[in-house]
């Protein structure tokens, strides 16, 4: 077990900042909420419905971005985003929406470049583009500011603020403080008291 | 989100993406096809140029090498997506992991196995396959090879998080390939020796259909374990 006794709720316009040391379970909690991990115990509700174990139903309401960017190096940014958009919605992404969003992160001139020529900061911005392309209420962000310069951090914070103002919700795990008003949750206080070693040999 | 969701469009999108990746730089499509061409060509050098011997082993050689070429490409079926994090995105797609696994298996068959079937008659010519057996070679490959992609996907999904899991996957998957191999070669041999290939083809089809029922669910279950 990674943590126990943890309880929180996130409503429209709420920003929740997950803090904690390395290994305290920030990423685990995000993956749990995203439906990628099953919980050993506890409940997870969205509105009135219990959603634990119903990943496919829930995934239409949230966007998750993890440590790895999930982009294919041989495909261009345009192709990567189109295939992601189609994967998540079944719809075709029009070029104008893509270009407007790419401009938002200063990637417009790279839109037809294969990802393998991107620097790590550019790749990270490309991974963050999904939050602008998909229109979903819950954003789950794992270390969204890593590798961003101050200009792009400001851009990201502006996009996050706009999302919150529009009634969206953000749960972000990050070591750096992000300049947004919201609550923060320190996972170090919820460390599991028992370590169930026998389950993992 | 009130718009009805088109799962068919997502399915097609995943298939198209995977076919494209298989044939782009460093993809498995080119690798499997070149391996198939070269490995089959080696047999006349190794066995010698006697036409009767080559004709006798032609069906077996083509089937076994096609099977190995398939195995070679399965290694990357889910692992590439696991390593770069896109498996997370695939798992969160509204299509669901079973649909995703089936889409990826379909793409694997179209991008990697179908080209092998297209060049198989050419290699059969090189191995002096009897003239009446060509259509049954292609037919047996068409009917039997879906089982290779399907069963292989289970092994690929189980070893997705294992570094250099290719050998382990071979050990898991190769025994499962035996029925397909027996009936596939049996059909071609029956045709070239004036026997009746249809019972072999029917059994081959049965293996493929059975794999179709099991593999997408088994692969999706294994992938879900790997994501934990």
């Amino acid at each position: 077990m990674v943590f126990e006794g943890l309880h929180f709720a996130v409503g429209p316009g709420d920003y929740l900042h997950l803090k904690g040391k390395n290994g305290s379970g920030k990423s685990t909690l995000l993956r749990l909420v995203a439906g990628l991990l099953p919980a050993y115990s506890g409940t997870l509700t969205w509105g009135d419905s219990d959603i634990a174990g119903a990943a496919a139903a829930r995934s239409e309401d949230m966007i998750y971005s993890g440590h790895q960017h999930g982009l294919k190096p041989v495909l261009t940014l345009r192709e990567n985003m189109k295939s992601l958009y189609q994967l998540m919605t079944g719809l075709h992404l029009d070029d104008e929406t893509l270009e407007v969003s790419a401009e938002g992160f200063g990637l417009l001139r790279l839109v037809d470049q294969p990802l393998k020529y991107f620097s790590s900061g550019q790749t990270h911005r490309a991974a963050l583009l999904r939050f602008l392309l998909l229109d979903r209420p819950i954003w789950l962000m794992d270390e969204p500011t890593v590798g961003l310069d101050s200009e792009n951090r400001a851009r990201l914070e502006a996009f996050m603020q706009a999302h919150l103002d529009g009634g969206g919700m953000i749960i972000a795990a990050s070591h750096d403080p992000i300049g947004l008003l919201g609550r923060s949750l320190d996972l170090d206080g919820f460390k599991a008291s028992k370590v169930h070693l026998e389950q993992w040999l | 989100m009130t718009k009805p969701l088109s799962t068919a469009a997502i399915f097609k999108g995943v298939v198209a993406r995977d076919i494209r990746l298989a044939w782009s730089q460093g993809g498995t499509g080119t690798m499997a096809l070149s391996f198939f061409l070269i490995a089959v060509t080696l047999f006349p050098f190794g066995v010698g140029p006697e036409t009767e011997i080559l004709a006798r082993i032609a069906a077996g050689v083509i089937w076994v090498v096609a099977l190995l070429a398939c195995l070679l490409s399965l290694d990357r079926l889910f692992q590439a997506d696991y390593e770069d994090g896109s498996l997370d995105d695939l798992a969160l797609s509204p299509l669901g992991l079973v649909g995703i696994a089936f889409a990826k298996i379909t793409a694997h068959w179209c991008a990697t196995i179908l080209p092998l079937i297209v060049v198989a008659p050419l290699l059969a010519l090189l191995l002096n396959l009897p003239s009446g057996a060509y259509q049954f070679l292609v037919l047996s490959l068409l009917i039997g090879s879906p089982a290779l992609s399907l069963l292989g996907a289970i092994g690929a999904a189980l070893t997705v998080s294992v570094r250099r899991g290719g050998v382990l996957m071979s050990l898991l998957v190769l025994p499962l390939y035996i029925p397909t191999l027996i009936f596939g070669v049996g059909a071609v041999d029956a045709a070239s020796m004036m026997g009746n290939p249809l019972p072999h083809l029917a059994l081959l089809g049965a293996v493929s259909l059975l794999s179709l029922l099991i593999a997408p669910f088994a692969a999706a279950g294994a992938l879900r374990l790997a994501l934990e």
Side-chain angles (χ1 to χ4, degrees):
Chain A
M1 276 209 279
V2 183
F3 39 68
E4 63 184 5
L6 188 61
H7 177 84
F8 65 90
V10 182
D14 279 359
Y15 165 64
L16 183 68
H17 179 200
L18 301 180
K19 290 194 300 189
K21 295 194 200 81
N22 293 127
S24 61
K26 301 188 293 295
S27 301
T28 309
L29 184 59
L30 279 179
R31 290 177 71 83
L32 200 72
V33 175
L36 288 165
L37 292 180
Y40 282 106
S41 65
T43 55
L44 194 60
T45 54
W46 167 232
D48 291 328
S49 50
D50 185 351
I51 50 171
R58 201 170 358 149
S59 64
E60 287 171 50
D61 296 313
M62 59 175 74
I63 318 173
Y64 166 79
S65 142
H67 285 293
Q68 293 157 307
H69 44 70
L71 302 164
K72 293 289 173 189
V74 291
L75 301 182
T76 65
L77 180 59
R78 191 190 298 274
E79 291 164 336
N80 265 302
M81 289 303 134
K82 285 194 167 186
S83 85
L84 179 74
Y85 193 79
Q86 189 167 26
L87 177 69
M88 292 302 177
T89 63
L91 302 171
H92 185 75
L93 173 64
D94 63 286
D95 288 311
E96 205 194 316
T97 317
L98 172 64
E99 280 158 19
V100 169
S101 308
E103 181 59 33
F105 272 117
L107 290 167
L108 185 58
R109 109 201 128 73
L110 297 169
V111 94
D112 287 310
Q113 285 286 328
L115 260 288
K116 61 184 165 188
Y117 299 126
F118 279 38
S119 73
S120 66
Q122 287 167 338
T123 312
H124 188 72
R125 269 142 65 198
L128 290 172
L129 260 189
R130 66 179 61 198
F131 291 102
L132 306 187
L133 293 173
L134 298 165
D135 174 26
R136 293 181 177 181
I138 310 174
W139 289 9
L140 303 174
M141 311 173 98
D142 203 347
E143 300 287 357
T145 55
V146 152
L148 292 185
D149 55 28
S150 55
E151 185 195 349
N152 284 301
R153 275 184 71 127
R155 281 170 168 164
L156 176 66
E157 282 168 14
F159 288 130
M160 289 168 79
Q161 188 60 56
H163 180 65
L164 294 176
D165 293 343
M169 292 157 243
I170 301 179
I171 305 179
S174 171
H175 289 292
D176 322 323
I178 300 174
L180 293 173
L181 281 177
R183 285 170 298 150
S184 78
L185 179 68
D186 193 339
L187 287 177
D188 288 334
F190 298 95
K191 209 165 268 170
S193 52
K194 289 184 286 187
V195 179
H196 290 256
L197 275 177
E198 72 275 17
Q199 288 171 349
W200 297 101
L201 298 177
Chain B
M1 303 285 145
T2 47
K3 264 176 285 176
L5 196 73
S6 168
T7 45
I10 301 179
F11 186 87
K12 268 188 276 177
V14 176
V15 173
R17 159 190 179 272
D18 265 42
I19 292 179
R20 196 141 187 238
L21 287 170
W23 282 93
S24 59
Q25 189 193 357
T28 52
T30 34
M31 191 178 69
L33 185 63
S34 355
F35 173 81
F36 186 56
L37 288 170
I38 293 170
V40 172
T41 320
L42 289 179
F43 277 83
F45 295 114
V47 179
E50 292 88 357
T51 48
E52 297 87 62
I53 297 176
L54 286 177
R56 181 67 198 82
I57 63 168
V61 167
I62 288 176
W63 258 101
V64 169
V65 177
L67 205 136
L68 295 176
C70 171
L71 206 61
L72 202 66
S73 61
L74 280 170
D75 205 13
R76 302 297 293 165
L77 180 59
F78 298 114
Q79 206 172 38
D81 290 330
Y82 177 78
E83 281 167 3
D84 68 16
S86 30
L87 198 59
D88 285 349
D89 293 337
L90 290 169
L92 292 177
S93 164
L95 183 55
L97 209 46
V98 176
I100 293 289
F102 187 50
K104 285 187 72 73
I105 295 167
T106 310
H108 175 262
W109 189 81
C110 294
T112 310
I113 308 292
L114 205 54
L116 304 185
I117 301 178
V118 171
V119 301
L122 203 73
L123 293 170
L125 191 71
L126 192 77
L127 296 174
N128 193 37
L129 188 76
S131 58
Y134 281 86
Q135 65 270 43
F136 288 103
L137 175 68
V138 174
L139 205 58
S140 72
L141 283 168
L142 278 175
I143 297 174
S145 59
L148 303 184
S149 290
L150 288 159
L151 295 172
I154 304 176
L158 283 170
T159 56
V160 71
S161 55
V162 182
R163 285 226 165 264
R164 311 203 52 82
V167 182
L168 181 61
M169 190 190 65
S170 310
L171 295 177
L172 286 172
V173 168
L174 281 176
L176 299 176
Y177 281 177
I178 293 172
T180 302
L181 180 65
I182 292 174
F183 299 129
V185 177
V188 187
D189 279 349
S192 54
M193 291 165 200
M194 306 298 156
N196 183 6
L198 292 180
H200 296 279
L201 291 178
L203 285 165
L204 202 55
V207 176
S208 286
L209 287 174
L210 196 65
S211 321
L212 182 66
L213 273 179
I214 300 166
F217 296 96
L223 288 178
R224 194 153 285 292
L225 280 179
L227 286 171
E228 284 179 18

